[in-house]
Amino acid sequence: RRVLAERFGEAAIPAENMLNADIRALRSMNIAGCAFHTSPSGSWCENRALNPAQVRLLFNAVQSSRFLTEGESRELQESLLGLVSVHEEYQLMGDVHVVQRLEAKGRSEVLAACSAIAQALRDDRKVEFEYTFNNFEGAQVALAGDDGATLRIETPTALYFSEGNYYLESYSATPWRHNQCIMRSRVDRMRAVRVSNERADLCEEVNEARRSAASRMKREVQMFGGTPRTIFLRVGAEATNEVFDLFGFGLEFANFSGVPRDKDTTGDTCVTVAQSPTFFRWLTGTGGKVRIVAPPDALTVRAKP
């Protein structure tokens, strides 16, 4: 009532019983995405769709997105700020600093290509495209396959987003290059992407690739595939964050050595990873704080997590 009087004058002050009736009406509406609260100090509505922490994550993602123009980024940021209070808005705008915002070069083509790939997956169709490399002048040049043709017509099995890039995984009964039937292509290197009139190859290899897409992505380092290997790693306490970042927090450790909570303590864990140069590069980058070790004896394996 005091706020209304301040905004609209004394004549606009409603009766207290009218306010109570309005509050009861709001409470009975069950507005989607809103929770209604009453306490001795008053009543208020709370937006439950996104909490401030979730808005902060989205705000950061929008600010650093490489696929948005500056205008689109500003528009989305303003929409997100509308979901929090004025106080939280000032905190968000003051707390977040983007060190480097990548240029949104070719973003519309990338998003259009992703839409075509998604449509082909839904309709069980193949996709047609050319795969390119950039020459020294920065121009895209189509890569030819082993048969000399540049046009690829393949069955999409999965669309990934990793390390700031989209990737298409696709199948071809006649390998494009390197005698591999299943290939992974970066979408920003694909051009003239369109849904093909040809029906997708729904063979067992395609079905298995689609079923296992999520699990295979988890064991690959920066989207580089390879033969899956189950290995034992000896991890120093100082390197646990790097290991959790790569393999997730579902890891369990055993065979500890050293004093608990000391930085020189080590523990062993078992992971399945795609054997690739990128994984060994990551391993070398830990400076010996993560090492591959020989498997323990069978009795220990059965007794430990």
Side-chain angles (χ1 to χ4, degrees):
R1 296 175 73 207
R2 288 196 300 271
V3 169
L4 290 172
E6 182 71 27
R7 292 286 299 274
F8 305 109
E10 297 289 334
I13 300 177
E16 191 166 336
N17 61 350
M18 185 181 292
L19 281 181
N20 288 333
D22 287 343
I23 289 171
R24 284 195 298 271
L26 286 169
R27 184 188 296 279
S28 66
M29 285 180 185
N30 293 322
I31 302 170
C34 286
F36 203 88
H37 304 279
T38 300
S39 74
S41 61
S43 301
W44 69 95
C45 278
E46 179 187 18
N47 187 334
R48 294 185 304 188
L50 290 171
N51 62 41
Q54 293 169 322
V55 173
R56 180 184 296 274
L57 286 172
L58 288 172
F59 195 79
N60 292 356
V62 167
Q63 279 199 316
S64 58
S65 172
R66 62 179 297 190
F67 295 107
L68 298 173
T69 64
E70 289 189 17
E72 290 170 334
S73 178
R74 279 196 302 271
E75 185 177 348
L76 278 174
Q77 288 175 49
E78 290 172 5
S79 299
L80 288 169
L81 291 174
L83 300 177
V84 297
S85 69
V86 174
H87 174 67
E88 290 162 338
E89 177 180 334
Y90 284 132
Q91 283 190 325
L92 272 176
M93 294 185 71
D95 288 352
V96 180
H97 302 279
V98 177
V99 176
Q100 181 182 12
R101 187 179 182 279
L102 296 174
E103 183 184 359
K105 182 181 179 181
R107 64 176 180 83
S108 58
E109 290 85 351
V110 170
L111 296 178
C114 289
S115 296
I117 293 166
Q119 185 69 44
L121 281 164
R122 287 193 298 269
D123 296 345
D124 284 331
R125 296 280 181 179
K126 293 181 179 180
V127 287
E128 300 181 7
F129 61 95
E130 288 184 329
Y131 203 52
T132 67
F133 71 96
N134 285 67
N135 63 17
F136 288 114
E137 284 76 38
Q140 283 191 322
V141 181
L143 276 169
D146 290 339
D147 61 357
T150 59
L151 180 65
R152 293 171 62 177
I153 306 175
E154 300 174 0
T155 298
T157 59
L159 183 64
Y160 298 98
F161 183 78
S162 176
E163 303 292 329
N165 292 295
Y166 286 96
Y167 295 84
L168 165 69
E169 186 179 78
S170 56
Y171 167 85
S172 175
T174 305
W176 175 59
R177 298 176 81 186
H178 313 307
N179 292 320
Q180 294 179 349
C181 290
I182 291 185
M183 296 283 291
R184 191 167 292 164
S185 311
R186 255 180 63 160
V187 175
D188 60 353
R189 291 180 57 188
M190 298 164 58
R191 71 180 182 190
V193 183
R194 59 189 178 273
V195 180
S196 174
N197 292 326
E198 294 187 27
R199 302 290 300 178
D201 294 320
L202 298 181
C203 58
E204 182 54 36
E205 193 167 358
V206 169
N207 294 334
E208 175 57 28
R210 290 180 175 179
R211 279 195 300 267
S212 62
S215 60
R216 285 185 290 109
M217 184 179 180
K218 288 180 181 177
R219 64 177 179 241
E220 292 175 0
V221 183
Q222 296 178 355
M223 298 302 292
F224 281 88
T227 305
R229 302 289 187 191
T230 299
I231 57 175
F232 287 84
L233 297 177
R234 183 153 296 160
V235 182
E238 289 184 297
T240 52
N241 283 348
E242 286 88 340
V243 176
F244 283 132
D245 285 345
L246 186 61
F247 297 105
F249 285 93
L251 291 181
E252 295 189 67
F253 292 88
N255 298 336
F256 296 101
S257 65
V259 180
R261 298 185 179 165
D262 187 272
K263 67 179 182 64
D264 295 321
T265 302
T266 65
D268 293 351
T269 190
C270 181
V271 299
T272 300
V273 65
Q275 182 176 296
S276 69
T278 310
F279 167 69
F280 292 109
R281 190 180 304 127
W282 172 85
L283 195 66
T284 305
T286 66
K289 294 173 184 175
V290 181
R291 294 181 290 119
I292 299 176
V293 294
D297 61 83
L299 183 61
T300 303
V301 170
R302 284 195 295 270
K304 297 292 176 66

